[in-house]
Amino acid sequence: MREETAVITDCDIRTAYGRGLACCWEGLWEGRTAIRPCTRFDTGHFPSRMAAVVDGIGYGGRSSLAARMLIPLLESSKPLVPCDAVPVLASTTGEIDLLEKNVLEGTGDAAESRLDVFLEKVKAAAGIKGGGFVVSGACASSSAALGFAAGLIQNGKHDCVLVAAVDAVTEFVFSGFSSLMALDPEPAKPFDRQRAGLSLGDGAGFILLMSCSRAQREGRAILGEISGWAMTADANHMTGPSRDGDGLKRAIQKALDRACVSDGDIGVISSHGTGTVYNDSMEMKAYTAVFGRPVPLYSIKGAVGHTMGAAGLIETAIALRVLRERVIPATIGLRDADPEAKNWVSSEKRKLEKSVVLLNNSGFGGVNAALVLRQPYAERQ
Amino acid sequence: MMLKRRGWIKENSCGCSGKGREWRYTDLRSLCVQLLADSVLAHPIDNFGRFNRESRLIVLSSALALYDAGIVYGRDRKQDIGIVGTSTDGSLSSNLDYFRDYASCGRTLGRGNLFIYTLASSPLAESSIHFGLQGPLVFLRYADDPEERMLAEAEFMIRNGDASALLAIVFDSQKADCHYLSGGMP
């Protein structure tokens, strides 16, 4: 079977910075966090009040929080999305506020919050008629979905896949993460010596992938390539990552092998970097095991919060911008790097020296996903 | 050639297809004891008492599928076997359990042991942890022919090199059907 290259031809995101990749990049460039006291619901009983929420989207709307973030992006994308694209939805809780409403007010049907129901709304918004699937792998959902999409394209099963991802900061998830004592009372500080947990964030977006041959045939701009991907599990604990980072290390090595690149080719790591003590330490152990020497890395979760199932997609969109601008964003929230991360992470912007990005996410249950992103082939020549 | 073995569990009975064995049971805890005695389970399932219903069904059907395939596992032995699953409702029942409990407590405190099951992949993760399965771990739900498509995707993942073997599980709150798939003989 002829192997095709999976290329990204279009993307758009929505974060607490606002709608669009440009305003998110601007926020990162300016070193400004979008995490602030959350007023979407009463946070008074929780150890933290901090979250990165999209302005103007609150409870009481005609549709769910997630729908109001994602559907307008897809409707705007309709002219660009072929109707034969395979739709893939990545999320952890989707339209969970519909369930909240059913429990609290006795209205509606909790089953309407199911992810397969939301998939149909995604398809309608994007103008796609049939098929598709949901990918749910905790906070690695959208990076896993991008890996699935790239695999379908590389193996010639499909030549166009639309990956959409969304998760919203709801009382449901905020209370849940609070119950696990996972939230920092201050805005998250990834890889910082004083880090104390994560901050949740609203996130939505889509990425359109095609085979390179179809993209060229249709005259589409190519923003980048997904040349490697892998998923593994720690098989360790439901909420605690493996202390030695072995699961993530294996995912990274598999993704590098699939991309036919060595660890020396990686110019920057877009890390999961949640700001929890254990996650960030686990990641540093994995990176040290793979690379053996410091490689520039960054996390955007001190800026846009942890966007849960949407994290991988949003971080991929930002990584494409990193490749284009050849600038590595500062890790916002970082003041004093943990000794494990010193010389890897920075609170300043840096120049990108090599044009290959490693991106990784991890999640509850010990899920790990890794992607290798490259510049478009033409720009590498 | 794809090696396939199967373990299944439904109300009051469970079994494995390749070895042609069946067990009847009255409750899942006593079934665990029986499967341990019959060497289907290599060791007791830690924290079984706090698993949600789907997790219990998935871990037991996984045990039966691995037993059917002759796969040996142990506390200190991890293997490159992945686990993918599908269901109609995902984590809906766990989501309701969590949020109803949270609401009944005055919306001041959630229970972490309920919250962790509000991810569709969590019941699969419990199996991953018990059996030491380090391959891909993901919940998939296809719009069309969901069970057939998930099984087909599992086979594709093996052929594509994403895993050397997979447990592919179709489940709901009453039953679980676990297929062990491998690209070669064990």
Side-chain angles (χ1 to χ4, degrees):
Chain A
M1 188 182 294
R2 190 172 64 87
E3 282 212 346
E4 275 279 7
T5 303
V7 298
I8 296 171
T9 60
D10 197 21
C11 70
D12 199 5
I13 61 173
R14 188 170 202 162
T15 65
Y17 281 128
R19 180 168 169 170
L21 186 51
C23 68
C24 187
W25 184 255
E26 186 182 312
L28 294 173
W29 188 271
E30 293 173 358
R32 185 173 31 97
T33 182
I35 301 167
R36 53 194 183 276
C38 176
T39 56
R40 181 176 282 167
F41 45 85
D42 183 5
T43 57
H45 297 287
F46 303 124
S48 174
R49 296 174 182 237
M50 294 292 174
V53 300
V54 173
D55 278 338
I57 294 187
Y59 282 99
R62 295 181 69 175
S63 53
S64 71
L65 296 165
R68 276 180 277 149
M69 286 194 283
L70 180 62
I71 299 302
L73 295 181
L74 294 171
E75 287 174 339
S76 298
S77 76
K78 220 185 253 191
L80 295 166
V81 176
C83 61
D84 64 335
V86 174
V88 180
L89 172 64
S91 182
T92 60
T93 54
E95 298 191 285
I96 198 69
D97 46 325
L98 300 180
L99 180 143
E100 290 177 333
K101 195 168 177 177
N102 174 255
V103 170
L104 295 173
E105 298 173 15
T107 56
D109 181 356
E112 288 293 309
S113 67
R114 281 176 14 202
L115 292 175
D116 60 322
V117 174
F118 195 28
L119 175 63
E120 296 306 310
K121 296 178 186 176
V122 165
K123 287 157 65 174
I128 296 172
K129 298 224 179 328
F133 55 101
V134 169
V135 175
S136 196
C139 298
S141 292
S142 51
S143 36
L146 289 165
F148 274 106
L152 291 173
I153 290 170
Q154 191 187 63
N155 287 278
K157 286 184 88 178
H158 295 285
D159 62 6
C160 186
V161 183
L162 175 73
V163 179
V166 64
D167 265 316
V169 179
T170 57
E171 190 175 351
F172 185 102
V173 294
F174 200 95
S175 61
F177 277 90
S178 296
S179 73
L180 296 172
M181 307 304 289
L183 302 181
D184 192 327
E186 298 175 356
K189 306 176 274 294
F191 301 106
D192 194 274
R193 197 189 290 259
Q194 303 298 326
R195 65 187 187 273
L198 59 93
S199 299
L200 293 169
D202 284 338
F206 73 85
I207 284 179
L208 184 64
L209 289 103
M210 285 188 175
S211 66
C212 188
S213 55
R214 179 168 181 172
Q216 288 173 334
R217 201 162 61 239
E218 295 184 4
R220 294 187 184 247
I222 294 175
L223 305 178
E225 297 176 10
I226 298 181
S227 51
W229 59 92
M231 278 190 83
T232 61
D234 288 349
N236 179 62
H237 190 273
M238 283 300 285
T239 56
S242 82
R243 298 294 181 100
D244 62 8
D246 184 66
L248 176 59
K249 183 193 89 172
R250 286 183 294 104
I252 292 171
Q253 285 173 333
K254 283 188 173 191
L256 294 178
D257 288 345
R258 178 167 253 145
C260 298
V261 300
S262 73
D263 56 270
D265 294 320
I266 299 298
V268 65
I269 303 168
S270 169
S271 71
H272 193 49
T274 62
T276 68
V277 170
Y278 291 123
N279 174 81
D280 294 4
S281 180
M282 177 277 289
E283 284 192 89
M284 288 317 307
K285 288 185 172 60
Y287 299 144
T288 302
V290 172
F291 296 98
R293 81 264 180 271
V295 172
L297 73 85
Y298 69 95
S299 165
I300 66 168
K301 291 188 175 73
V304 300
H306 188 343
T307 54
M308 299 165 278
L313 187 141
I314 289 170
E315 289 158 14
T316 296
I318 292 296
L320 294 176
R321 195 67 182 257
V322 170
L323 285 170
R324 194 178 98 183
E325 304 290 336
R326 302 197 68 80
V327 171
I328 300 167
T331 293
I332 294 170
L334 175 73
R335 294 183 210 111
D336 179 19
D338 188 288
E340 284 186 303
K342 233 174 177 59
N343 301 321
W344 295 73
V345 69
S346 176
S347 54
E348 304 291 327
K349 293 190 281 288
R350 292 172 285 178
K351 188 168 167 246
L352 179 70
E353 302 288 353
K354 300 178 194 174
S355 301
V356 185
V357 178
L358 169 71
L359 181 146
N360 66 270
N361 298 105
S362 299
F364 284 158
V367 183
N368 302 292
L371 300 174
V372 176
L373 308 171
R374 305 188 72 163
Q375 276 182 308
Y377 181 77
E379 292 176 22
R380 301 204 294 262
Q381 303 309 300
Chain B
M1 192 178 82
M2 191 67 58
L3 172 72
K4 298 178 186 180
R5 292 288 184 264
R6 179 176 163 249
W8 53 269
I9 182 166
K10 54 186 183 181
E11 195 177 2
N12 300 326
S13 66
C14 65
C16 45
S17 302
K19 287 184 161 64
R21 291 195 66 180
E22 275 195 34
W23 292 258
R24 294 201 63 81
Y25 69 94
T26 51
D27 65 272
L28 293 177
R29 281 182 196 264
S30 59
L31 177 61
C32 282
V33 172
Q34 186 61 50
L35 294 181
L36 192 59
D38 289 345
S39 300
V40 176
L41 285 168
H43 54 83
I45 302 171
D46 296 337
N47 302 314
F48 189 77
R50 70 153 176 79
F51 282 13
N52 69 350
R53 174 113 183 133
E54 286 84 355
S55 296
R56 294 179 183 192
L57 295 172
I58 285 171
V59 77
L60 291 171
S61 65
S62 298
L64 290 160
L66 292 170
Y67 171 74
D68 204 36
I71 301 297
V72 175
Y73 74 92
R75 283 192 190 278
D76 297 319
R77 177 181 173 160
K78 295 190 179 180
Q79 306 182 62
D80 183 28
I81 299 173
I83 182 163
V84 299
T86 194
S87 72
T88 301
D89 285 345
S91 58
L92 178 61
S93 61
S94 296
N95 294 348
L96 283 164
D97 287 345
Y98 169 74
F99 203 69
R100 282 174 179 154
D101 178 80
Y102 166 73
S104 71
C105 292
R107 296 166 75 179
T108 58
L109 187 66
R111 287 187 212 269
N113 62 318
L114 296 180
F115 182 67
I116 58 173
Y117 292 113
T118 62
L119 294 167
S121 51
S122 286
L124 307 171
E126 292 284 18
S127 263
S128 162
I129 292 164
H130 176 76
F131 298 107
L133 309 181
Q134 294 188 298
L137 190 169
V138 68
F139 175 91
L140 301 173
R141 172 70 184 170
Y142 283 83
D144 305 324
D145 303 317
E147 295 175 10
E148 293 79 5
R149 296 291 301 275
M150 189 274 293
L151 291 170
E153 177 64 29
E155 290 195 31
F156 173 70
M157 289 171 72
I158 292 170
R159 291 200 181 94
N160 201 32
D162 295 311
S164 56
L166 278 169
L167 295 177
I169 308 175
V170 180
F171 66 95
D172 61 32
S173 60
Q174 303 300 317
K175 58 189 183 302
D177 199 354
C178 179
H179 302 258
Y180 172 84
L181 307 171
S182 169
M185 303 300 288

